[in-house]
Amino acid sequence: MLQLFGYWRSSASFRVRLVLQLKGLSYEQHPVNLRQGEQREKAYRRVNPQGLVPFLIDGEVQIGQSVAIMEYLDETYPAYPLMPSAAEDRARVRQIVNMIACDIHPLNNLRVLNYLEQELGQGKAHRDKWYCHWIDETFTALEQLLMTTAGVYSVGNEVTLADCMLVPQVYNARRFNMTLSDYPTIERIVANCEQLQAFIQAAPASQPDAQA
């Protein structure tokens, strides 16, 4: 059985859970509590030397980094493909994936926020301002792009890897009480996705390690 090491509130773990759910793949969850620092413990470092989540084990195959995992699952388990057939549409999906994975996530993940507070002495207000700035900057451009690519979902009328990136990022924005009214296309796409059972089952609140 597939094994996924992750954390309920990790947006990167959320992305991978979405792919697993959309493809109807059974998997065993191994919670890694980021707030308690379990990712830095020797036991987990033996699984993933980078000490990050998510991490996937598929028999002899072991993969870190959420986008690599998502692409591996889509290529290895072709039922319910999450990349379009047309080359231009595939490129648009990759563009959206990279806007979130490269331009938002590295600046806003937990270890960066902790460094801002603990090492650089920035209080919560400054940390939150930093967080929201990088989402706003990318969402402004992403909204314009999605106005040209979206149907029901981010690229056309079928769920793709772009949606598996977008929904977790919006989840994070909501956690920080961001106002998303300037991004009506993003809000519409996410609302459509959140009606699907796979997105409900993969949501952070639905996970066995979820905390109030």
Side-chain angles (χ1 to χ4, degrees):
M1 180 181 288
L2 291 161
Q3 299 180 64
L4 178 65
F5 293 79
Y7 179 59
W8 69 283
R9 208 165 60 181
S10 157
S11 62
S13 300
F14 189 179
R15 301 166 188 167
V16 175
R17 293 196 305 264
L18 283 168
V19 174
L20 291 164
Q21 292 289 348
L22 286 163
K23 289 181 172 291
L25 297 172
S26 298
Y27 64 101
E28 181 179 350
Q29 292 207 57
H30 298 278
V32 180
N33 193 317
L34 302 185
R35 287 292 181 184
Q36 295 181 6
E38 291 180 357
Q39 73 276 19
R40 295 188 293 271
E41 295 178 0
K42 289 182 180 179
Y44 184 60
R45 291 279 186 170
R46 285 193 290 268
V47 175
N48 180 8
Q50 196 177 13
L52 300 175
V53 296
F55 193 78
L56 180 80
I57 297 178
D58 184 11
E60 298 298 317
V61 178
Q62 302 185 15
I63 308 174
Q65 294 295 331
S66 62
V67 175
I69 296 170
M70 293 162 70
E71 291 180 350
Y72 167 80
L73 290 170
D74 198 42
E75 293 169 3
T76 305
Y77 300 94
Y80 203 105
L82 293 169
M83 288 293 283
S85 57
E88 180 181 351
D89 290 340
R90 290 198 301 273
R92 293 303 183 194
V93 169
R94 293 188 180 102
Q95 181 180 1
I96 295 164
V97 166
N98 285 317
M99 288 175 75
I100 294 171
C102 301
D103 298 336
I104 297 178
H105 189 80
L107 293 163
N108 279 359
N109 67 21
L110 181 61
R111 59 181 179 165
V112 169
L113 298 181
N114 286 343
Y115 190 83
L116 285 171
E117 285 194 89
Q118 298 168 11
E119 300 297 328
L120 301 183
Q122 300 300 311
K124 183 178 182 301
H126 287 96
R127 182 204 67 180
D128 291 356
K129 185 176 180 180
W130 165 282
Y131 192 99
C132 295
H133 168 78
W134 297 113
I135 294 180
D136 271 325
E137 183 170 277
T138 300
F139 272 17
T140 298
L142 182 56
E143 174 72 17
Q144 297 301 310
L145 174 61
L146 290 172
M147 289 172 64
T148 70
T149 64
V152 177
Y153 304 109
S154 294
V155 180
N157 295 320
E158 301 293 336
V159 174
T160 66
L161 294 182
D163 303 296
C164 296
M165 297 292 293
L166 181 62
V167 170
Q169 191 58 64
V170 168
Y171 167 81
N172 274 356
R174 290 169 175 165
R175 281 182 53 216
F176 280 75
N177 299 315
M178 288 189 63
T179 300
L180 299 175
S181 57
D182 289 339
Y183 313 114
T185 310
I186 290 175
E187 287 195 306
R188 176 179 63 80
I189 293 165
V190 170
N192 290 337
C193 289
E194 290 178 334
Q195 296 179 42
L196 301 177
Q197 193 62 31
F199 282 79
I200 295 169
Q201 292 174 340
S206 300
Q207 304 316 302
D209 57 326
Q211 301 169 10

